[in-house]
Amino acid sequence: MARLLFPLPIAAAVSASSTHIATSRFRLPVVSVARREALFGGRVGARAPARLAKRGVSAAADAGGSAARAGTVIGPDEAMEWVKNDRRRLLHVVYRVGDLDKTIKFYTECLGMKLLRKRDIPEERYTNAFLGYGPEDSHFVVELTYNYGVESYDIGSGFGHFGIAVEDVEKTVELIKAKGGTVTREPGPVKGGNSVIAFIEDPDGYKFELIERGPTPEPLCQVMLRVGDLDRAINFYEKAFGMELLRRKDNPQYKYTIAMMGYGPEDKNAVLELTYNYGVKEYDKGNAYAQIAIGTDDVYKTAEVVRQNGGQITREPGPLPGITTKITACTDPDGWKSVFVDNLDFLKELGE
């Protein structure tokens, strides 16, 4: 997404209320029907996706991002039904690194990711790199941000780890060790279960859980965040984000409970893993991890539904300055940030 998500330079990292938005003056290309179908699945009309057409939203109005729509009003019943039908998908997870080239080398050589694209914005003193296991229009990918001259960040205690599905955990760990990587947990069964896992750290200290699993279309499969009230978090992500509670597991022996939330089965989609540690209500979020980006058909309705369900809108819905890409940003009840991006605008950006 050319300058789509908040690049979040260090100045923004220090203040939760200060969000940096990069501007752009590029011309957005026309998106082909084939590219729309690649993201949305099924047959999509040339002028507007089926669900947009059913709601009476024209392609021209959708692309224009009329400011009048900022006052969108949607009732609770309509909101619940709309969220269920909105075509949402996890797009990117955004975080900051201190040495971009070193991180790219580690992700490509040790984790098997591909460098999808890289962009430098010298006037705003940051560089982004997008890496993953497939094209951005069909896969969940990482968006790394390097802010000029900033070599380290505080990861904090709230962020947990990213999950990567691999077919052979032991072989992957051997490769990572051979490349000089740090293994923090040797391969073995997960506590209280049978799945074989291992934990490693990247050059910036971000933890990755390697999960032994058969072939999957989405190897970058998890983002784990800690929350202070699991029931509250589950309720929020179900009602405001339209996610499904895929499973919940309590581990009283180790005093924690997890909930897997997402838009499809864990073996085929990236999911959000929420972890509640008994008795812990708050966490230090640091300034390293930034946010998740999620696709939506309508950022205006999304913002209204988030408000109705206790979320805080940190950027009102509408086009980014200088371009027609529409986004809205919010925080959940625990303060974790997310950005919703208009689906059609996302494809247009990828086509640039």
Side-chain angles (χ1 to χ4, degrees):
M1 294 178 294
R3 303 197 192 186
L4 176 59
L5 300 182
F6 305 123
L8 297 157
I10 186 60
V14 175
S15 172
S17 62
S18 174
T19 305
H20 173 86
I21 304 172
T23 59
S24 175
R25 295 180 175 83
F26 61 78
R27 180 179 60 84
L28 294 175
V30 176
V31 181
S32 70
V33 174
R35 285 189 64 80
R36 293 183 186 185
E37 290 175 357
L39 178 65
F40 302 130
R43 188 74 182 150
V44 177
R47 296 189 65 83
R51 287 181 184 142
L52 286 179
K54 287 179 182 177
R55 292 203 304 270
V57 180
S58 70
D62 183 70
S66 172
R69 297 201 57 209
T72 297
V73 177
I74 181 171
D77 293 339
E78 181 188 357
M80 185 176 297
E81 185 63 26
W82 178 78
V83 168
K84 290 180 182 177
N85 293 324
D86 190 22
R87 291 169 299 189
R88 296 187 176 183
R89 179 176 72 84
L90 299 183
L91 305 177
H92 290 180
V93 59
V94 188
Y95 51 104
R96 306 172 184 91
V97 298
D99 186 328
L100 191 59
D101 291 336
K102 186 176 181 180
T103 303
I104 291 172
K105 181 179 175 67
F106 181 84
Y107 285 14
T108 54
E109 294 185 359
C110 295
L111 301 181
M113 293 186 188
K114 296 179 181 179
L115 176 60
L116 303 172
R117 58 191 174 96
K118 185 177 178 181
R119 63 169 183 236
D120 185 42
I121 314 295
E123 65 272 21
E124 297 181 36
R125 299 181 58 77
Y126 74 90
T127 305
N128 289 135
F130 299 80
L131 297 98
Y133 295 99
E136 291 176 61
D137 62 6
S138 58
H139 289 74
F140 185 50
V141 308
V142 300
E143 178 181 343
L144 305 177
T145 297
Y146 168 70
N147 292 294
Y148 291 8
V150 183
E151 297 181 353
S152 65
Y153 294 92
D154 175 19
I155 293 177
S157 59
F159 171 78
H161 61 260
F162 304 113
I164 296 180
V166 299
E167 294 187 42
D168 191 321
V169 168
E170 288 194 8
K171 285 187 178 179
T172 304
V173 167
E174 288 175 6
L175 171 63
I176 291 170
K177 286 181 177 178
K179 296 288 186 179
T182 301
V183 176
T184 59
R185 184 196 190 278
E186 294 291 337
V190 65
K191 292 179 180 178
N194 298 315
S195 299
V196 177
I197 67 166
F199 275 91
I200 65 162
E201 284 187 0
D202 76 359
D204 289 272
Y206 291 102
K207 289 183 171 61
F208 283 79
E209 180 182 11
L210 305 179
I211 306 165
E212 193 157 282
R213 194 180 283 179
T216 173
E218 195 72 281
L220 181 60
C221 59
Q222 291 178 5
V223 176
M224 192 275 260
L225 303 174
R226 298 183 176 93
V227 298
D229 185 327
L230 188 59
D231 290 334
R232 180 185 66 182
I234 291 171
N235 183 66
F236 176 81
Y237 281 99
E238 284 181 326
K239 293 182 178 179
F241 280 37
M243 291 185 179
E244 178 185 353
L245 175 60
L246 302 171
R247 64 184 172 97
R248 177 173 178 160
K249 184 176 181 180
D250 187 34
N251 296 276
Q253 181 181 357
Y254 302 103
K255 298 185 178 181
Y256 74 91
T257 306
I258 63 169
M260 297 296 192
M261 311 289 298
Y263 296 111
E266 289 180 65
D267 60 342
K268 295 181 174 64
N269 299 270
V271 301
L272 183 62
E273 177 181 349
L274 303 176
T275 297
Y276 168 69
N277 292 298
Y278 291 7
V280 183
K281 300 297 184 182
E282 295 182 0
Y283 293 92
D284 172 19
K285 294 179 176 59
N287 63 2
Y289 173 83
Q291 63 209 14
I292 288 176
I294 301 172
T296 178
D297 286 338
D298 190 321
V299 297
Y300 300 94
K301 285 187 176 181
T302 290
E304 182 60 24
V305 173
V306 168
R307 283 194 184 95
Q308 289 179 11
N309 288 282
Q312 180 180 354
I313 300 301
T314 57
R315 187 195 187 280
E316 291 296 329
L320 286 170
I323 59 176
T324 61
T325 298
K326 296 179 289 298
I327 72 165
T328 189
C330 65
T331 57
D332 73 3
D334 286 275
W336 293 113
K337 300 176 184 177
S338 296
V339 173
F340 285 88
V341 184
D342 180 272
N343 282 324
L344 291 183
D345 293 345
F346 176 68
L347 285 180
K348 292 173 184 177
E349 297 246 4
L350 291 181
E352 165 61 18

